[in-house]
Amino acid sequence: MGFVKEFKDFAVKGNVIDLAVGVIIGGAFNKITSSLVNDVVMPPIGMLLGKVDFTNLFITLGSEEYNTLAEAKDAGAATINYGVFINNIIQFLITALVIFIVIRQINRMKRKEEQASTQPTNKECPYCITTIPLKATKCPNCTADINTGM
């Protein structure tokens, strides 16, 4: 009975929903970064390197030669697709950079919240030594006027 209750608590408290949303957003983000790498980043790099299309950089493991990776795949040839691998490395680096920036910003916001929550909200009455609100100008215990500069 404890396992079922624990699973129900896990599923109902939003952990599963948060995980599902994260996976869905991650899939969409993957499509965006793939497009960024393949359609925006790699074409200028290919032009700078002499009009090289990285997706067509491959080595055929047989004796036949093919002009494009698509031709080699259609023929059923075994290939080492190092151009696609380079695209995937660049895509990974961009994804890692974006995730790093997002996590960094989240950590900065958390630190600001922690600093704000550690600010004192009370002070001590100099006359009766009781704790009073920071904004108090008169002690509710001894009725002394408190200097607001404290």
Side-chain angles (χ1 to χ4, degrees):
M1 196 65 156
F3 176 79
V4 173
K5 182 184 179 323
E6 189 176 341
F7 178 75
K8 181 182 170 191
D9 289 345
F10 169 77
V12 173
K13 287 186 180 176
N15 294 337
V16 172
I17 294 169
D18 291 344
L19 182 62
V21 168
V23 168
I24 291 167
I25 289 174
F29 186 71
N30 185 38
K31 288 181 181 182
I32 291 169
T33 54
S34 292
S35 177
L36 177 67
V37 170
N38 296 330
D39 303 328
V40 177
V41 174
M42 295 311 288
I45 291 174
M47 288 295 289
L48 290 173
L49 296 176
K51 297 184 180 182
V52 176
D53 179 8
F54 279 81
T55 57
N56 280 320
L57 295 178
F58 66 97
I59 298 171
T60 306
L61 297 178
S63 59
E64 301 217 17
E65 292 192 25
Y66 303 96
N67 292 327
T68 66
L69 181 60
E71 286 178 13
K73 290 214 180 260
D74 288 343
T79 58
I80 297 175
N81 308 324
Y82 66 92
V84 174
F85 181 68
I86 291 170
N87 280 356
N88 288 334
I89 289 172
I90 293 171
Q91 180 178 338
F92 168 77
L93 292 174
I94 290 171
T95 303
L97 177 66
V98 169
I99 290 172
F100 169 74
I101 291 169
V102 168
I103 297 298
R104 187 174 178 214
Q105 288 304 109
I106 289 171
N107 287 340
R108 280 185 179 172
M109 287 188 281
K110 282 183 180 178
R111 279 194 295 266
K112 285 181 182 178
E113 287 176 9
E114 288 172 0
Q115 288 174 351
S117 67
T118 59
Q119 296 292 330
T121 58
N122 294 325
K123 63 182 177 181
E124 214 174 63
C125 173
Y127 301 103
C128 66
I129 315 299
T130 58
T131 303
I132 58 173
L134 193 60
K135 293 183 178 182
T137 57
K138 189 178 255 326
C139 178
N141 299 309
C142 69
T143 67
D145 287 328
I146 307 296
N147 181 357
T148 56
M150 287 187 71

